[in-house]
Amino acid sequence: MNKKNIKRNLFPYVFLLIFILTCLILFKSFNTTVNELTYDEFIKNLNGGKITELTITPKVRTNTYLLEGKLDGYKENEKFTLYLPYSDEFISKITSEKDTESNFDLTIETDPEASSWLAVLVDIVPIVVLAGITIWIFTRQLGNGSKSIEFGRSRAKLVEESRATFKDVAGLTEEKEEVQELIDFLKNPKKFTNMGARIPKGVLLVGPPGTGKTLLARAVAGEAKVPFYYISGSDFVELFVGIGASRVRDMFKQAKMNAPCLIFIDEIDAVGRQRGTGLGGGHDEREQTLNQLLTEMDGFGANEGIIIIAATNRPDVLDPALLRPGRFDRQVTVSLPDKNSRIEILKVHAKNKILDKSITLEYLAKRTPGFSGADLENLLNEAALLTVRRNKKAITMAEIDEATDRVLMGPAKITKKYTDKEKKLVAFHEAGHAVMGLKLDGANEVQKITIIPRGHAGGYTMMTPKEESFNYTKKELLESICGLLGGRVAEEITFGEITTGAHDDFKKATKIARSMVTEYGMSNLGPMMLEEPDGNTFLGRDYTKNRNISDTVAHEIDEEMRSIINNCYEQTKKIISENKNLLALIANTLLEEETITKEQIDYLVEHKHLPKDEKNVKENENSPSEDNVKEVKNKPRKRSTKKEDTK
């Protein structure tokens, strides 16, 4: 522990000890009964032998003696005092009296300065200590007052000049065009005001996590070269009612002083949720903060040079008053990147990475549909870490594959041992998915198959859409269900029994089938929206909503779903039965190699065996990365205990 922290922790206890001792001294002094005697009374008690204790203290400054003592019959907290003129004869008389007739305890102070310091200690120190305590208490209270004043100030962080520009934002071509006019307005507002145009007061960035909403806002400030205020929605909400509203007022006050500027509120749904929807009543502090935010956005003009940019993953829970024209006038959807956008994003994140010549970013983009910009950055970073761990000089496709598996499923469990029966079951299960992907045009394309356990899965098949599209036909959805059922059908046909390994496949297939019936109108129930798409539960709204369907329609939905799944199951069983040889070929190859990729699968289907040398590999013209196949795929991957494989 730090010495400063130790001293700081001990200080309160030392202070408390001094305070207790001072209180005891004061208590003792105030609780003592003092009787003042005259000279005659003192001599009478001295001659009568009634004095039991006597202390003589010389007072040099006043040229007197202070006599303190006790008489016979005094209580423990009772004493007498007496002042007499300074005289050596008096001391001799008392000494002779003690030696002849009386027997009492006599103490004569020989150092007059010691008695004066004791008087200072007893009389002055307690007063000083009490004064110090009083001053400390008042100072503490004044400090808390200043802190309470700062407590209501805005926590928005001011960035004088953002370093991010549009060059750092890859793949968001349309989104950058949407916010370009904000930059033009901040640079030259007269061009808009002369035309009578009203620039949007607020822009709401909507999209999944990791798609670059915060980076886009920083880039707008960087391109416009204006101050940039950054704050999270949760920074407004506090325990005490009114603090959030005070922070909103202070934030807009600071922004007006630094106009033109940008205010970026991240995760605005933390403070902008719909009012009056909480179970058991709303949160007063959050609702007051939202009310103040709405008022402030109405309070400044459209062309005052302040633009608010907010980001959220949940636009459906925002208050309607926040989204009306005049507040957040424009919504910009930042979607997951497509293939071309992923190429641009990979170029940005691969600038400082040493990639092997065999790796092409186009191939990586093709293999990563559904990845956000943050996912792609994490993928390349994991690959770089694996390269360093394996003491290689460049990132190869082996590290890219392993990094993809780690991001999706977690690290490989090399030490987990299969029984021969389990290994064979997993191999045929995954081979069933591969056969369906090869034989159906609408099914997802198999990119990689492995029977090495990862996470909670004993093995898995990486399947991606053959083409990225916004809409899917009924045939494509049905064939996707067939591809998901391929594993269970392969188990049943090959071994005559079924396992629990297909539970995740059933989950995905059932979700697709239910959406076909209740959302897409692709069933005998007709083109009807029977259920809203699944989303995160919003307390106070989703729990209390009424069902729009009767029990009879709910039963019909279940029957239609069952019909879709059963028909796809029969079709899958027919395809697997007709391609038993291909199923066995892929499964047996998996038992030997444990992991095979799309290029190896394509070569296996064509030549009935894996490539054995470089000449055979080059004959596979469909491979997008022939050098990678040459380096990695040519070497069968056995289960190994080498450090390179187990890390």
Side-chain angles (χ1 to χ4, degrees), residues 399-434:
E399 284 71 47
I400 295 292
D401 283 337
E402 178 65 20
T404 305
D405 295 340
R406 283 173 171 266
V407 171
L408 294 176
M409 303 293 295
K413 298 181 179 179
I414 302 295
T415 58
K416 185 176 180 179
K417 298 297 182 182
Y418 275 129
T419 63
D420 292 338
K421 182 179 179 180
E422 285 179 327
K423 190 173 183 179
K424 194 172 182 180
L425 277 169
V426 173
F428 275 88
H429 178 99
E430 303 301 337
H433 291 304

Side-chain angles (χ1 to χ4, degrees), residues 32-35 68-70 74-75 77-81:
T32 301
T33 303
V34 179
N35 300 320
E68 294 179 319
K70 290 188 176 183
Y74 271 17
K75 298 179 181 180
N77 59 341
E78 188 177 6
K79 68 177 182 178
F80 69 85
T81 59

Side-chain angles (χ1 to χ4, degrees), residues 239-480:
L239 175 64
F240 304 104
V241 176
I243 295 297
S246 175
R247 289 178 178 175
V248 171
R249 288 191 296 269
D250 187 65
M251 181 182 68
F252 279 90
K253 179 181 177 181
Q254 295 180 26
K256 291 177 182 178
M257 295 172 61
N258 291 277
C261 65
L262 278 177
I263 298 176
F264 177 64
I265 306 176
D266 198 10
E267 305 297 343
I268 194 174
D269 53 278
V271 69
R273 284 176 175 255
Q274 293 183 20
R275 292 165 290 183
T277 53
L279 292 177
H283 192 298
D284 290 338
E285 164 62 1
R286 182 183 59 77
E287 292 191 0
Q288 285 194 18
T289 305
L290 175 58
N291 292 337
Q292 187 64 43
L293 180 61
L294 297 175
T295 303
E296 291 292 340
M297 292 188 71
D298 277 340
F300 67 88
N303 295 321
E304 288 187 4
I306 301 175
I307 296 177
I308 303 176
I309 300 179
T312 182
N313 307 323
R314 295 292 312 276
D316 57 309
V317 303
L318 295 179
D319 195 274
L322 198 62
L323 303 178
R324 73 161 177 81
R327 289 182 178 134
F328 283 100
D329 306 82
R330 182 176 299 175
Q331 292 190 27
V332 178
T333 301
V334 185
S335 305
L336 291 172
D338 57 10
K339 179 183 175 182
N340 294 329
S341 298
R342 290 196 297 272
I343 294 175
E344 298 298 324
I345 295 172
L346 288 169
K347 287 181 180 179
V348 172
H349 295 303
K351 285 182 179 179
N352 60 341
K353 306 290 191 304
I354 303 176
L355 299 177
D356 190 80
K357 295 180 180 180
S358 61
I359 296 179
T360 61
L361 298 181
E362 290 79 8
Y363 179 50
L364 292 183
K366 183 180 178 181
R367 293 189 56 178
T368 52
F371 276 50
S372 66
D375 293 332
L376 295 173
E377 190 275 336
N378 187 34
L379 173 65
L380 292 180
N381 184 64
E382 285 289 338
L385 293 175
L386 287 170
T387 303
V388 175
R389 191 181 301 176
R390 296 177 178 180
N391 297 320
K392 291 186 177 182
K393 296 182 179 180
I395 301 174
T396 65
M397 203 62 206
E399 284 71 47
I400 295 292
D401 283 337
E402 178 65 20
T404 305
D405 295 340
R406 283 173 171 266
V407 171
L408 294 176
M409 303 293 295
K413 298 181 179 179
I414 302 295
T415 58
K416 185 176 180 179
K417 298 297 182 182
Y418 275 129
T419 63
D420 292 338
K421 182 179 179 180
E422 285 179 327
K423 190 173 183 179
K424 194 172 182 180
L425 277 169
V426 173
F428 275 88
H429 178 99
E430 303 301 337
H433 291 304
V435 170
M436 298 305 296
L438 292 170
K439 296 300 178 180
L440 293 177
D441 295 333
N444 290 338
E445 189 174 42
V446 178
Q447 295 290 342
K448 182 178 180 181
I449 310 174
T450 180
I451 58 174
I452 298 176
R454 289 182 181 271
H456 296 289
Y460 82 99
T461 301
M462 181 189 297
M463 305 175 70
T464 60
K466 295 180 180 179
E467 292 183 1
E468 297 182 47
S469 59
F470 291 100
N471 296 312
Y472 296 95
T473 64
K474 181 178 180 180
K475 179 183 178 183
E476 290 174 339
L477 293 176
L478 292 174
E479 291 183 349
S480 296

Side-chain angles (χ1 to χ4, degrees), residues 507-645:
K507 178 181 178 181
K508 296 176 181 177
T510 304
K511 184 176 181 180
I512 295 174
R514 189 169 192 88
S515 297
M516 292 176 63
V517 176
T518 60
E519 298 177 33
Y520 308 146
M522 296 180 178
S523 69
N524 294 330
L525 294 181
M528 300 173 61
M529 172 67 78
L530 301 175
E531 290 181 353
E532 294 182 1
D534 292 336
N536 295 329
T537 302
F538 186 16
L539 293 178
R541 185 185 69 186
D542 293 345
Y543 279 133
T544 58
K545 67 180 182 182
N546 297 323
R547 291 179 58 189
N548 296 324
I549 58 175
S550 63
D551 293 338
T552 303
V553 175
H555 176 71
E556 292 177 356
I557 291 174
D558 295 338
E559 291 294 330
E560 288 293 326
M561 289 174 55
R562 185 178 294 109
S563 175
I564 291 174
I565 296 294
N566 290 338
N567 292 336
C568 290
Y569 195 86
E570 294 299 324
Q571 183 182 356
T572 304
K573 186 180 293 186
K574 179 181 178 182
I575 295 174
I576 294 291
S577 300
E578 294 174 352
N579 295 275
K580 285 185 178 180
N581 293 334
L582 179 60
L583 177 70
L585 177 63
I586 297 175
N588 292 329
T589 304
L590 269 176
L591 291 172
E592 295 178 3
E593 306 295 327
E594 293 190 338
T595 300
I596 56 177
T597 62
K598 179 182 181 299
E599 293 76 27
Q600 290 176 304
I601 295 172
D602 293 340
Y603 192 93
L604 185 64
V605 172
E606 183 178 354
H607 299 88
K608 308 304 179 185
H609 62 81
L610 290 181
K612 297 181 180 180
D613 51 36
E614 295 182 3
K615 182 177 180 181
N616 288 335
V617 173
K618 291 182 179 180
E619 292 176 358
N620 184 11
E621 298 178 354
N622 294 325
S623 173
S625 181
E626 297 178 358
D627 294 335
N628 178 55
V629 177
K630 182 195 313 179
E631 178 184 350
V632 181
K633 311 304 189 287
N634 189 32
K635 298 179 181 180
R637 180 176 181 181
K638 303 291 185 180
R639 185 180 290 264
S640 172
T641 58
K642 291 181 180 179
K643 293 182 179 179
E644 182 175 305
D645 292 331

Side-chain angles (χ1 to χ4, degrees), residues 204-216:
L204 183 65
L205 303 179
V206 179
T211 51
K213 298 184 291 296
T214 303
L215 180 60
L216 181 61

